[in-house]
Amino acid sequence: MRYLILAALVLSVPLLGIAQQTRGGSNSGSKLFTYPYTIDDLPNGLRLITVPTDYPNLVALYTVVAVGSRNEVEAGKSGFAHFFEHMMFRGSENYTPEQREEIFKRAGAETNAYTTDDRTVYHATFSKEDLEEIMKAEADRFQRLKYTPEQFKTEAKAVKGEYDKNSANPFSKMNEVMRETAFKRHTYSHTTMGYLKDIEDMPNQYDYSLEFFKRFYRPEYTTIVVVGDVTRQRALDLTKRYWGSWQRGTYKADIPDEPEQKESRTAHIPWDAPTLPHLAVAFRAPKFSDTSKELAALDLFQSVAFGENSELYQQLVLKEQKVDVLAADFGHQADPELFTVYARVKDPAQVGYVREQILKTFERHKTELIDQAKLDATRSRMRYGFAMGMNSNNAIAGALAPYIALERTPETLNRLFDTYQTVTAADVRDAARKYFRDESRTIVTLATKGQNIAALGRTVEGQN
C-alpha cells in the first residue's frame, strides 16, 4: 500500500478555458502533507497537477497514463500495456532515441517507467532549469511516437527476455497461476507481462501496436504531475504550449465483470528446479474506494494479522522458524481484486501446517475483535511511515501516482486516510466475515517437481 495525505481546501476558478482547483497550504491542520497543490484541466481532457515544494532546484515529472493490463480485453493481445512502456523509449517524430537520451543525460535526469494492472507511469527527476526541454521531449513521444517494424520486433524480443527472467522466480509464477485460477472473465486473469503465447506472437503485431497507441495514449487517460521547485504558472504554461494541441480520443475498453466465485479453487505448480515449497492463500476482495470502511478495514487487517508485528509472523517466522517469507498483498485497484497471503515454507512436510495456521488467522478474526490499542498503533505506524517516506520530490510524486491513476486527484488520499481513522475493531471483524469465505478462496502451491507436499488437505504430487 502507498499512503499520502494532502490537506485540502477547494476552489474552482475558470481560467483561459482551463478549470483550476487549488488545495492545501499553511492552514492544513493536522494533515501530514502541508504542501499546496493545484489541478488544471485542459480542454482536451489532459490534467495537470502541480505541487510546489521546499526541496530546491529539482523537479520530478510524472506522466501517469490510466492504462494497464486491465485494459487488454482482446484475445491474443495481453501484455501490450507493458510492451508500450518499452516502445515509448524508441523515439518519436522529432527525437531519435539517441537524441532523447542525450537530452536526459545532459540534464542529469533519473528517468524510468513502470506498468501495473491499472496504470503505466513515466517519470524523471532533474534540475528545474531543464523542465521545458524535457517537457517538450516527453510531449513529442506521447503525441508523435514513431518506430519501425524492425525496432518493434527488437523490443518484442526484449520483452520475451524479461518474461523468461521473471518466470524463473517462483513468486512470479505463483502470481500468474493465482490470477488464472481466481479470475475467469476479468482481465486481472493475466499478469502485466501477459500470456506467454501472446508475448511470443508480439513480433507479428506491429499494426495492432499502432492501434493500441491510438486508443490509449490520449489526453483523457493522462495526468501530468509536476512536483518540486516550480510554480503553477510555469508548469501550466509549458503544459499548454507542448500538450495543448493533443487530440482527445474516443475509445474505451469494455472490461468484463468477474462473476461471483461460488466454490473454493486450488492449483499446484510442479517446479523444474530445486526450491523450497511456496504457498499462496487468496480471497476475493473489493475494488478501491477512498470512502469504503471495508477497504480501509482490510488494509488495517493486512498489517495486524500478517505484518511483521503480527502474532502469526512471530509464530511462523521467528519462534517456530517454519517459514522464511510471510507477507500479505492487498493493493488498491480499479476493480475487485485479491487479498493474498504468500509463504515460503522451509520443510515440505510443514506446508499443510502453515496453510492451516494462515486459514485459522482468517477465521479467528471473523469472531474476535482486534485490541483497540493494537488497532490505534497500526494506524499510527501508517501515518508515521508516510511522513518518513516523503523525503524528496520524487518520493512525493511516486506516492501520488497510483492514486492519480485511480481518481486523478491527490484529494483521494485525504479521504482514504480520514476513512482509516473511522474504522473500528467491529468494522474489521465484519469485513473479515464478508470477504474471507471458503467459497471465495483460492489456494496455489508450488514445489519441486516430484516432491509430495501436504498442502490442500490432501497430498499433492508434482506431475512429470
Side-chain angles (χ1 to χ4, degrees), residues 101-368:
E101 184 177 353
E102 179 59 28
I103 289 172
F104 280 76
K105 182 179 179 180
R106 193 166 55 243
E110 298 179 5
T111 181
N112 213 327
Y114 69 88
T115 309
T116 72
D117 293 344
D118 299 325
R119 65 187 179 276
T120 308
V121 179
Y122 302 86
H123 53 93
T125 303
F126 46 86
S127 172
K128 66 178 182 180
E129 287 80 11
D130 298 301
L131 178 59
E132 179 167 7
E133 188 172 25
I134 288 180
M135 182 83 84
K136 182 179 179 181
E138 289 293 84
D140 196 62
R141 68 169 173 166
F142 272 80
Q143 299 171 67
R144 292 172 287 276
L145 186 66
K146 185 178 181 180
Y147 51 86
T148 66
E150 290 73 23
Q151 289 175 315
F152 179 83
K153 290 180 180 179
T154 297
E155 206 59 50
K157 292 177 182 178
V159 170
K160 174 59 164 57
E162 185 178 347
Y163 176 89
D164 291 341
K165 181 180 179 180
N166 289 345
S167 294
N169 184 320
F171 283 110
S172 294
K173 190 64 176 179
M174 292 277 287
N175 180 44
E176 181 179 319
V177 174
M178 174 62 76
R179 286 165 173 260
E180 291 179 355
T181 306
F183 293 100
K184 299 304 180 183
R185 292 191 61 211
H186 193 279
T187 45
Y188 286 162
S189 60
H190 64 263
T191 66
T192 304
M193 286 296 299
Y195 293 120
L196 175 58
K197 64 181 184 297
D198 297 343
I199 295 172
E200 291 175 334
D201 190 50
M202 278 181 177
N204 304 316
Q205 297 294 332
Y206 177 79
D207 290 341
Y208 179 78
S209 74
L210 302 179
E211 182 64 24
F212 186 93
F213 179 72
K214 179 181 176 181
R215 288 176 177 178
F216 293 114
Y217 278 69
R218 294 290 186 175
E220 68 271 21
Y221 284 104
T222 305
T223 304
I224 297 173
V225 184
V226 184
V227 179
D229 193 353
V230 64
T231 65
R232 169 198 169 257
Q233 195 59 53
R234 172 69 169 161
L236 180 57
D237 287 347
L238 294 176
T239 301
K240 291 164 60 179
R241 183 179 308 164
Y242 295 113
W243 302 77
S245 62
W246 194 9
Q247 295 298 306
R248 182 191 292 266
T250 59
Y251 181 82
K252 184 176 181 181
D254 185 13
I255 300 168
D257 293 330
E258 180 68 21
E260 181 182 0
Q261 184 174 337
K262 296 182 179 180
E263 75 292 321
S264 60
R265 300 170 185 170
T266 62
H268 178 71
I269 305 164
W271 197 247
D272 287 333
T275 184
L276 294 178
H278 291 59
L279 168 69
V281 179
F283 292 87
R284 298 279 286 278
K287 69 178 183 179
F288 176 74
S289 166
D290 54 32
T291 59
S292 168
K293 273 196 174 185
E294 291 180 348
L295 178 126
L298 293 180
D299 278 345
L300 291 164
F301 171 79
Q302 175 180 349
S303 180
V304 170
F306 301 106
E308 292 187 1
N309 293 318
S310 68
E311 293 178 13
L312 187 66
Y313 189 95
Q314 298 293 314
Q315 174 192 339
L316 294 180
V317 179
L318 301 180
K319 182 180 178 181
E320 299 176 355
Q321 298 186 13
K322 286 183 165 55
V323 306
D324 64 356
V325 173
L326 179 70
D329 178 28
F330 176 56
H332 293 157
Q333 296 190 211
D335 292 325
E337 53 170 316
L338 297 177
F339 187 110
T340 308
V341 177
Y342 291 94
R344 186 166 63 191
V345 187
K346 294 182 178 181
D347 182 353
Q350 297 297 325
V351 172
Y353 171 79
V354 171
R355 167 189 176 273
E356 291 307 315
Q357 297 308 305
I358 292 172
L359 291 177
K360 284 181 180 179
T361 300
F362 282 110
E363 286 297 320
R364 178 162 62 87
H365 285 90
K366 292 181 183 180
T367 55
E368 293 184 14

